[in-house]
Amino acid sequence: MINLSIIVPVYNVERYIKRFLNSIDNQNYVDYELILVNDGSTDNSRQICEREVSKHSNWSLINKVNQGTGIARNVGIQAASGSYILFFDPDDYIEPNCFEKINSKICQN
């Protein structure tokens, strides 16, 4: 069973989505799934996500019509299989040991 589900709403973020995805790819912790929810992007965000998702068995992309961030996150929640859910935005940058630290805090409780 996957421990962490990472949900990211995507809408017209072609300028910085690659940097974010690289920061996810550089994680030391691997017991996670990444769910990208493309909320009807009209730029190249969808194509970038499709290319990157194809390289990872634990990454997925859901394409939907634009309805806003909240609904995109809810769609991600419905698809999630992890014990814990984390939300990030595509303009975030995640330090390489972030998921490992989060998991160790969860396991302490």
Side-chain angles (χ1 to χ4, degrees):
M1 180 203 246
I2 297 294
N3 194 36
L4 300 176
S5 292
I6 314 303
I7 299 171
V8 182
V10 174
Y11 180 74
N12 290 349
V13 292
E14 69 180 355
R15 292 183 309 161
Y16 34 78
I17 187 71
K18 184 73 169 136
R19 179 177 183 257
F20 171 76
L21 294 175
N22 285 338
S23 74
I24 296 291
D25 197 26
N26 289 327
Q27 291 300 303
N28 298 328
Y29 184 79
V30 296
D31 189 19
Y32 74 91
E33 66 180 346
L34 174 66
I35 303 168
L36 300 167
V37 182
N38 176 41
D39 193 30
S41 293
T42 57
D43 65 359
N44 290 317
S45 296
R46 177 179 178 165
Q47 292 81 4
I48 294 167
C49 290
E50 287 172 344
R51 185 173 50 250
E52 296 304 313
V53 163
S54 72
K55 301 174 187 175
H56 300 87
S57 62
N58 59 330
W59 291 20
S60 63
L61 173 63
I62 300 169
N63 291 301
K64 56 179 275 332
V65 298
N66 181 263
Q67 295 176 298
T69 302
I71 292 176
R73 286 189 173 127
N74 287 336
V75 167
I77 290 170
Q78 292 171 358
S81 63
S83 301
Y84 299 92
I85 294 175
L86 301 172
F87 296 102
F88 288 102
D89 292 320
D91 60 347
D92 291 335
Y93 173 80
I94 314 302
E95 293 292 329
N97 58 355
C98 177
F99 295 170
E100 189 173 22
K101 286 181 178 180
I102 290 169
N103 187 63
S104 69
K105 293 292 183 186
I106 290 169
C107 291
Q108 288 177 358
N109 294 329

